[in-house]
Amino acid sequence: MSIIQGTTGEWEMVIGLEVHAQVISHSKLFSGASAVFGAAPNAQVSLVDAAFPGMLPVINEKCVEQAVRTGLGLKAQINLTSVFDRKNYFYADLPAGYQISQFTQPIVGKGEILLDLADGSSRTVGITRLHLEQDAGKSMHDQSPNETFVDLNRSGVALMEIVSEPDMRSGEEAGAYLKKLRAILRYLGTCDGNMEEGSMRCDVNLSMRRVGDPVLGTRCEIKNVNSIRFVQQAIEYESVRQVEVLESGGKIVQETRLWDTSKGITRSMRSKEDAHDYRYFPDPDLLPLVLDPAFVESIKATLPELPDEKKARFISDYGLKPYDASVLVAEKPSADYFEKVAKGRDGKLAANWVTVELFGALNKLGKTVENSPVSAEALGELVGLISDQTISGRIAKEVFEEMLESGKAAAQIVEEKGLKQVTDTVAIEQAIDAILAANADKVAEYKSGKDKLFGFFVGQVMKTTGGKANPAMLNELLKKKLA
């Protein structure tokens, strides 16, 4: 829980999120027009999308399947009967004057998401509902100083609106929720989660109340926030703004606000409409959607292993810490990469190399696991060379750098550069003897109680062996020599 200390006492946030996730489908929800991102303006608009008179919507079965699949992934209730409604409002990029959505009878009911928090704890956030709806078009205000252009490519694209319960109490929890939801959608293959392209957008509902007060405050909705970082920044700003209003004796007005990324503030857009303002009624052109239980079961049978289950398996099968397992399962390609590296090897060592060395290198290079210059098989070979003591961990980092630059195999680099670890006890003893003989004064100091000099001797032996002495052997032999 994130507590804000005001001048008159402590306040807590109450946060609920509405996420609009674009369904992965070749065509739109009620027409055969393409739903692929990036086409020229108004190049993918059917007569249905443009709301020409007499055009009738026809439901896209693939979109229904994707909604059910998502509901099952959220451990939610699948409603075998759902109804499409008309949500009436005027906007230039909504040619019909209404949006086909679901209101009283959505396709998916209550579910839940387990959040993985930075301190290692976890908590559950409830899902209120998931409903299908068509997207509106896009108003373009930056094309002309005097005119607004309308692009209807997005009009009619299938969206899943996923509504959470008001269970979150901090920006961190909201961020964790969005990360987990995006991971689940990507694992399921129902939404690509690309917030920059607008295929996943978030509305933040936030209110403030006194700590311990069971009554919810008046909420404001921050509309269409398109990154997790911006969601957290908007929550931080808006929570402080609301506390300042309340403590100065003012009242929070229920309204829709927007996040101004350039100024780092929320700004008022309009008073918040309630459901009755939209005059919802069942769409007369669409019959109730009735699902066969066998259809739902057939989808359930194809569900992949999802992040929570994969995390539990990584902890039990590979002995990973919960945090490391969470990092690895956050994206399916990362989890798949790790499993190839760890196959038949030390799981903890493999996880460390993937999460620290590989991810660090990819971050510097601006690359992802999918286009990593070092394949999972190649990194697995390197981990194997460490495990069988062919090379030390320190030498392995040098080899890894070479692998990144040259693309050569680890074993080839080790052979070419003569980097094999020295495991010959006689050779290590000779190196130790030479160092101790050359530093008799420091040996005397060590024996008189200066234990920290042990590290000096280790470093000197490593230097003379080019870093190739087996560290465990070196430590053991050095202790005996100094005893």
Side-chain angles (χ1 to χ4, degrees), residues 6 13 49 67-68 79 83 156 199 214-215 221 224 231 242 252 317 323 368 382 390 401 405 415 433 443:
M13 308 175 191
D49 307 326
V68 171
N79 297 324
V83 173
S199 54
V215 180
E221 180 182 38
N224 283 335
V231 165
Q242 289 190 21
I252 300 299
D317 290 5
Y323 175 79
T368 64
L382 179 64
T390 299
E401 289 295 325
E405 290 178 16
E415 192 63 40
D433 289 340
V443 172

PDB file of all heavy atoms in Angstrom, residues 6 13 49 67-68 79 83 156 199 214-215 221 224 231 242 252 317 323 368 382 390 401 405 415 433 443:
ATOM      1  N   GLY A   6      -0.514  13.603   4.143  1.00  0.00           N
ATOM      2  CA  GLY A   6      -0.989  14.959   3.919  1.00  0.00           C
ATOM      3  C   GLY A   6      -0.796  15.814   5.155  1.00  0.00           C
ATOM      4  O   GLY A   6      -0.283  15.359   6.179  1.00  0.00           O
ATOM      5  N   MET A  13      -4.509   5.349  -1.810  1.00  0.00           N
ATOM      6  CA  MET A  13      -5.049   5.310  -3.168  1.00  0.00           C
ATOM      7  C   MET A  13      -5.974   4.103  -3.323  1.00  0.00           C
ATOM      8  O   MET A  13      -5.739   3.050  -2.738  1.00  0.00           O
ATOM      9  CB  MET A  13      -3.922   5.143  -4.192  1.00  0.00           C
ATOM     10  CG  MET A  13      -2.789   6.126  -4.091  1.00  0.00           C
ATOM     11  SD  MET A  13      -1.494   5.671  -5.284  1.00  0.00           S
ATOM     12  CE  MET A  13      -0.183   6.766  -4.724  1.00  0.00           C
ATOM     13  N   ASP A  49     -17.587  -0.606 -41.618  1.00  0.00           N
ATOM     14  CA  ASP A  49     -16.766   0.242 -40.745  1.00  0.00           C
ATOM     15  C   ASP A  49     -17.103   1.720 -40.913  1.00  0.00           C
ATOM     16  O   ASP A  49     -17.023   2.501 -39.960  1.00  0.00           O
ATOM     17  CB  ASP A  49     -15.278   0.054 -41.067  1.00  0.00           C
ATOM     18  CG  ASP A  49     -14.852  -1.410 -41.042  1.00  0.00           C
ATOM     19  OD1 ASP A  49     -15.400  -2.163 -40.224  1.00  0.00           O
ATOM     20  OD2 ASP A  49     -13.981  -1.781 -41.851  1.00  0.00           O
ATOM     21  N   ALA A  67     -11.402 -14.018 -27.231  1.00  0.00           N
ATOM     22  CA  ALA A  67     -11.949 -13.482 -25.971  1.00  0.00           C
ATOM     23  C   ALA A  67     -12.124 -14.605 -24.950  1.00  0.00           C
ATOM     24  O   ALA A  67     -11.788 -14.450 -23.769  1.00  0.00           O
ATOM     25  CB  ALA A  67     -13.269 -12.774 -26.229  1.00  0.00           C
ATOM     26  N   VAL A  68     -12.657 -15.738 -25.412  1.00  0.00           N
ATOM     27  CA  VAL A  68     -12.845 -16.886 -24.514  1.00  0.00           C
ATOM     28  C   VAL A  68     -11.478 -17.384 -24.029  1.00  0.00           C
ATOM     29  O   VAL A  68     -11.289 -17.686 -22.840  1.00  0.00           O
ATOM     30  CB  VAL A  68     -13.613 -18.017 -25.236  1.00  0.00           C
ATOM     31  CG1 VAL A  68     -13.624 -19.296 -24.387  1.00  0.00           C
ATOM     32  CG2 VAL A  68     -15.034 -17.579 -25.545  1.00  0.00           C
ATOM     33  N   ASN A  79     -19.177 -16.743 -19.883  1.00  0.00           N
ATOM     34  CA  ASN A  79     -20.645 -16.684 -19.982  1.00  0.00           C
ATOM     35  C   ASN A  79     -21.083 -17.261 -21.316  1.00  0.00           C
ATOM     36  O   ASN A  79     -20.745 -16.730 -22.374  1.00  0.00           O
ATOM     37  CB  ASN A  79     -21.120 -15.238 -19.840  1.00  0.00           C
ATOM     38  CG  ASN A  79     -20.775 -14.665 -18.466  1.00  0.00           C
ATOM     39  OD1 ASN A  79     -20.813 -15.378 -17.465  1.00  0.00           O
ATOM     40  ND2 ASN A  79     -20.418 -13.390 -18.416  1.00  0.00           N
ATOM     41  N   VAL A  83     -24.523 -10.614 -24.807  1.00  0.00           N
ATOM     42  CA  VAL A  83     -25.328  -9.747 -25.676  1.00  0.00           C
ATOM     43  C   VAL A  83     -24.490  -8.538 -26.098  1.00  0.00           C
ATOM     44  O   VAL A  83     -23.769  -7.955 -25.289  1.00  0.00           O
ATOM     45  CB  VAL A  83     -26.600  -9.270 -24.937  1.00  0.00           C
ATOM     46  CG1 VAL A  83     -27.362  -8.241 -25.771  1.00  0.00           C
ATOM     47  CG2 VAL A  83     -27.500 -10.462 -24.615  1.00  0.00           C
ATOM     48  N   GLY A 156     -13.836  -0.386 -36.068  1.00  0.00           N
ATOM     49  CA  GLY A 156     -14.324  -1.757 -36.189  1.00  0.00           C
ATOM     50  C   GLY A 156     -13.335  -2.821 -35.763  1.00  0.00           C
ATOM     51  O   GLY A 156     -13.674  -4.009 -35.713  1.00  0.00           O
ATOM     52  N   SER A 199      -2.091  -0.956 -29.398  1.00  0.00           N
ATOM     53  CA  SER A 199      -2.850  -2.206 -29.342  1.00  0.00           C
ATOM     54  C   SER A 199      -3.121  -2.639 -27.906  1.00  0.00           C
ATOM     55  O   SER A 199      -3.798  -3.625 -27.670  1.00  0.00           O
ATOM     56  CB  SER A 199      -2.127  -3.321 -30.110  1.00  0.00           C
ATOM     57  OG  SER A 199      -0.808  -3.478 -29.669  1.00  0.00           O
ATOM     58  N   PRO A 214     -13.647   2.898   5.073  1.00  0.00           N
ATOM     59  CA  PRO A 214     -14.137   1.888   4.126  1.00  0.00           C
ATOM     60  C   PRO A 214     -14.866   2.484   2.919  1.00  0.00           C
ATOM     61  O   PRO A 214     -15.101   1.794   1.922  1.00  0.00           O
ATOM     62  CB  PRO A 214     -15.099   1.054   4.978  1.00  0.00           C
ATOM     63  CG  PRO A 214     -15.609   2.012   6.011  1.00  0.00           C
ATOM     64  CD  PRO A 214     -14.464   2.941   6.303  1.00  0.00           C
ATOM     65  N   VAL A 215     -15.228   3.769   3.014  1.00  0.00           N
ATOM     66  CA  VAL A 215     -16.017   4.397   1.946  1.00  0.00           C
ATOM     67  C   VAL A 215     -15.082   4.893   0.835  1.00  0.00           C
ATOM     68  O   VAL A 215     -14.084   5.565   1.100  1.00  0.00           O
ATOM     69  CB  VAL A 215     -16.840   5.587   2.502  1.00  0.00           C
ATOM     70  CG1 VAL A 215     -17.648   6.233   1.378  1.00  0.00           C
ATOM     71  CG2 VAL A 215     -17.754   5.104   3.615  1.00  0.00           C
ATOM     72  N   GLU A 221     -11.052   9.488 -13.932  1.00  0.00           N
ATOM     73  CA  GLU A 221     -10.527   8.529 -14.900  1.00  0.00           C
ATOM     74  C   GLU A 221      -9.488   9.224 -15.775  1.00  0.00           C
ATOM     75  O   GLU A 221      -9.763  10.252 -16.384  1.00  0.00           O
ATOM     76  CB  GLU A 221     -11.658   7.976 -15.782  1.00  0.00           C
ATOM     77  CG  GLU A 221     -11.166   6.968 -16.808  1.00  0.00           C
ATOM     78  CD  GLU A 221     -12.283   6.451 -17.707  1.00  0.00           C
ATOM     79  OE1 GLU A 221     -13.179   7.261 -18.068  1.00  0.00           O
ATOM     80  OE2 GLU A 221     -12.259   5.264 -18.055  1.00  0.00           O
ATOM     81  N   ASN A 224      -6.713   6.689 -21.755  1.00  0.00           N
ATOM     82  CA  ASN A 224      -5.801   6.299 -22.850  1.00  0.00           C
ATOM     83  C   ASN A 224      -4.320   6.556 -22.560  1.00  0.00           C
ATOM     84  O   ASN A 224      -3.636   7.231 -23.317  1.00  0.00           O
ATOM     85  CB  ASN A 224      -6.185   7.022 -24.146  1.00  0.00           C
ATOM     86  CG  ASN A 224      -7.409   6.404 -24.794  1.00  0.00           C
ATOM     87  OD1 ASN A 224      -7.708   5.232 -24.582  1.00  0.00           O
ATOM     88  ND2 ASN A 224      -8.115   7.189 -25.574  1.00  0.00           N
ATOM     89  N   VAL A 231       1.597   5.341 -16.835  1.00  0.00           N
ATOM     90  CA  VAL A 231       0.521   4.990 -15.897  1.00  0.00           C
ATOM     91  C   VAL A 231       0.986   5.256 -14.470  1.00  0.00           C
ATOM     92  O   VAL A 231       0.272   5.879 -13.667  1.00  0.00           O
ATOM     93  CB  VAL A 231       0.107   3.502 -16.053  1.00  0.00           C
ATOM     94  CG1 VAL A 231      -0.722   3.034 -14.854  1.00  0.00           C
ATOM     95  CG2 VAL A 231      -0.695   3.305 -17.337  1.00  0.00           C
ATOM     96  N   GLN A 242      -5.287  15.150  -5.933  1.00  0.00           N
ATOM     97  CA  GLN A 242      -6.560  14.948  -5.254  1.00  0.00           C
ATOM     98  C   GLN A 242      -6.453  15.225  -3.755  1.00  0.00           C
ATOM     99  O   GLN A 242      -7.356  15.822  -3.153  1.00  0.00           O
ATOM    100  CB  GLN A 242      -7.070  13.525  -5.503  1.00  0.00           C
ATOM    101  CG  GLN A 242      -7.539  13.292  -6.936  1.00  0.00           C
ATOM    102  CD  GLN A 242      -8.268  11.966  -7.097  1.00  0.00           C
ATOM    103  OE1 GLN A 242      -8.773  11.388  -6.131  1.00  0.00           O
ATOM    104  NE2 GLN A 242      -8.345  11.480  -8.338  1.00  0.00           N
ATOM    105  N   ILE A 252     -13.630  16.583  -5.027  1.00  0.00           N
ATOM    106  CA  ILE A 252     -13.198  15.979  -6.282  1.00  0.00           C
ATOM    107  C   ILE A 252     -14.404  15.842  -7.189  1.00  0.00           C
ATOM    108  O   ILE A 252     -15.451  15.317  -6.786  1.00  0.00           O
ATOM    109  CB  ILE A 252     -12.547  14.598  -6.050  1.00  0.00           C
ATOM    110  CG1 ILE A 252     -11.315  14.736  -5.150  1.00  0.00           C
ATOM    111  CG2 ILE A 252     -12.163  13.939  -7.376  1.00  0.00           C
ATOM    112  CD1 ILE A 252     -10.217  15.612  -5.714  1.00  0.00           C
ATOM    113  N   ASP A 317      11.694 -27.091 -10.480  1.00  0.00           N
ATOM    114  CA  ASP A 317      12.559 -27.932 -11.321  1.00  0.00           C
ATOM    115  C   ASP A 317      14.000 -27.442 -11.379  1.00  0.00           C
ATOM    116  O   ASP A 317      14.933 -28.250 -11.472  1.00  0.00           O
ATOM    117  CB  ASP A 317      12.010 -28.004 -12.753  1.00  0.00           C
ATOM    118  CG  ASP A 317      10.728 -28.809 -12.861  1.00  0.00           C
ATOM    119  OD1 ASP A 317      10.225 -29.237 -11.798  1.00  0.00           O
ATOM    120  OD2 ASP A 317      10.228 -29.000 -13.978  1.00  0.00           O
ATOM    121  N   TYR A 323      12.148 -14.384  -7.454  1.00  0.00           N
ATOM    122  CA  TYR A 323      12.390 -13.177  -8.249  1.00  0.00           C
ATOM    123  C   TYR A 323      12.985 -13.532  -9.606  1.00  0.00           C
ATOM    124  O   TYR A 323      12.552 -13.022 -10.641  1.00  0.00           O
ATOM    125  CB  TYR A 323      13.318 -12.213  -7.499  1.00  0.00           C
ATOM    126  CG  TYR A 323      13.697 -11.006  -8.340  1.00  0.00           C
ATOM    127  CD1 TYR A 323      12.804  -9.948  -8.498  1.00  0.00           C
ATOM    128  CD2 TYR A 323      14.917 -10.947  -9.008  1.00  0.00           C
ATOM    129  CE1 TYR A 323      13.124  -8.851  -9.294  1.00  0.00           C
ATOM    130  CE2 TYR A 323      15.251  -9.865  -9.807  1.00  0.00           C
ATOM    131  CZ  TYR A 323      14.343  -8.820  -9.948  1.00  0.00           C
ATOM    132  OH  TYR A 323      14.661  -7.748 -10.754  1.00  0.00           O
ATOM    133  N   THR A 368      16.691  -7.751 -28.438  1.00  0.00           N
ATOM    134  CA  THR A 368      15.850  -8.607 -27.606  1.00  0.00           C
ATOM    135  C   THR A 368      16.369 -10.032 -27.688  1.00  0.00           C
ATOM    136  O   THR A 368      17.245 -10.353 -28.489  1.00  0.00           O
ATOM    137  CB  THR A 368      14.387  -8.572 -28.089  1.00  0.00           C
ATOM    138  OG1 THR A 368      14.329  -9.119 -29.420  1.00  0.00           O
ATOM    139  CG2 THR A 368      13.839  -7.150 -28.096  1.00  0.00           C
ATOM    140  N   LEU A 382      28.533 -22.466 -23.156  1.00  0.00           N
ATOM    141  CA  LEU A 382      29.401 -21.696 -22.266  1.00  0.00           C
ATOM    142  C   LEU A 382      29.149 -22.063 -20.805  1.00  0.00           C
ATOM    143  O   LEU A 382      30.082 -22.265 -20.026  1.00  0.00           O
ATOM    144  CB  LEU A 382      29.185 -20.200 -22.486  1.00  0.00           C
ATOM    145  CG  LEU A 382      30.009 -19.249 -21.606  1.00  0.00           C
ATOM    146  CD1 LEU A 382      31.495 -19.404 -21.898  1.00  0.00           C
ATOM    147  CD2 LEU A 382      29.576 -17.801 -21.819  1.00  0.00           C
ATOM    148  N   THR A 390      36.071 -26.369 -17.115  1.00  0.00           N
ATOM    149  CA  THR A 390      37.005 -26.114 -18.214  1.00  0.00           C
ATOM    150  C   THR A 390      37.506 -24.677 -18.133  1.00  0.00           C
ATOM    151  O   THR A 390      38.676 -24.397 -18.401  1.00  0.00           O
ATOM    152  CB  THR A 390      36.316 -26.350 -19.576  1.00  0.00           C
ATOM    153  OG1 THR A 390      35.886 -27.711 -19.636  1.00  0.00           O
ATOM    154  CG2 THR A 390      37.251 -26.071 -20.743  1.00  0.00           C
ATOM    155  N   GLU A 401      32.101 -12.041 -24.065  1.00  0.00           N
ATOM    156  CA  GLU A 401      32.312 -10.802 -24.818  1.00  0.00           C
ATOM    157  C   GLU A 401      32.743 -11.115 -26.250  1.00  0.00           C
ATOM    158  O   GLU A 401      32.275 -10.499 -27.208  1.00  0.00           O
ATOM    159  CB  GLU A 401      33.375  -9.936 -24.127  1.00  0.00           C
ATOM    160  CG  GLU A 401      32.931  -9.303 -22.820  1.00  0.00           C
ATOM    161  CD  GLU A 401      31.798  -8.298 -22.999  1.00  0.00           C
ATOM    162  OE1 GLU A 401      31.776  -7.604 -24.045  1.00  0.00           O
ATOM    163  OE2 GLU A 401      30.937  -8.224 -22.112  1.00  0.00           O
ATOM    164  N   GLU A 405      30.807 -10.458 -30.028  1.00  0.00           N
ATOM    165  CA  GLU A 405      31.423  -9.725 -31.137  1.00  0.00           C
ATOM    166  C   GLU A 405      31.628 -10.586 -32.378  1.00  0.00           C
ATOM    167  O   GLU A 405      31.382 -10.145 -33.500  1.00  0.00           O
ATOM    168  CB  GLU A 405      32.782  -9.159 -30.689  1.00  0.00           C
ATOM    169  CG  GLU A 405      32.656  -8.026 -29.673  1.00  0.00           C
ATOM    170  CD  GLU A 405      34.011  -7.516 -29.215  1.00  0.00           C
ATOM    171  OE1 GLU A 405      35.022  -7.809 -29.887  1.00  0.00           O
ATOM    172  OE2 GLU A 405      34.064  -6.837 -28.170  1.00  0.00           O
ATOM    173  N   GLU A 415      39.706 -22.648 -26.961  1.00  0.00           N
ATOM    174  CA  GLU A 415      40.819 -23.384 -27.582  1.00  0.00           C
ATOM    175  C   GLU A 415      41.803 -22.436 -28.252  1.00  0.00           C
ATOM    176  O   GLU A 415      43.025 -22.529 -28.058  1.00  0.00           O
ATOM    177  CB  GLU A 415      40.254 -24.380 -28.610  1.00  0.00           C
ATOM    178  CG  GLU A 415      41.268 -25.400 -29.119  1.00  0.00           C
ATOM    179  CD  GLU A 415      41.787 -26.310 -28.021  1.00  0.00           C
ATOM    180  OE1 GLU A 415      40.989 -26.729 -27.158  1.00  0.00           O
ATOM    181  OE2 GLU A 415      43.004 -26.581 -28.033  1.00  0.00           O
ATOM    182  N   ASP A 433      53.708 -21.102  -4.382  1.00  0.00           N
ATOM    183  CA  ASP A 433      55.020 -21.061  -3.717  1.00  0.00           C
ATOM    184  C   ASP A 433      55.822 -19.853  -4.179  1.00  0.00           C
ATOM    185  O   ASP A 433      56.496 -19.177  -3.367  1.00  0.00           O
ATOM    186  CB  ASP A 433      55.799 -22.356  -4.019  1.00  0.00           C
ATOM    187  CG  ASP A 433      55.204 -23.566  -3.301  1.00  0.00           C
ATOM    188  OD1 ASP A 433      54.461 -23.349  -2.316  1.00  0.00           O
ATOM    189  OD2 ASP A 433      55.467 -24.709  -3.725  1.00  0.00           O
ATOM    190  N   VAL A 443      53.479 -12.513   4.080  1.00  0.00           N
ATOM    191  CA  VAL A 443      53.131 -13.794   4.686  1.00  0.00           C
ATOM    192  C   VAL A 443      53.219 -13.669   6.205  1.00  0.00           C
ATOM    193  O   VAL A 443      52.342 -14.143   6.948  1.00  0.00           O
ATOM    194  CB  VAL A 443      54.075 -14.920   4.189  1.00  0.00           C
ATOM    195  CG1 VAL A 443      53.832 -16.206   4.973  1.00  0.00           C
ATOM    196  CG2 VAL A 443      53.872 -15.172   2.699  1.00  0.00           C
TER     197      VAL A 443
END
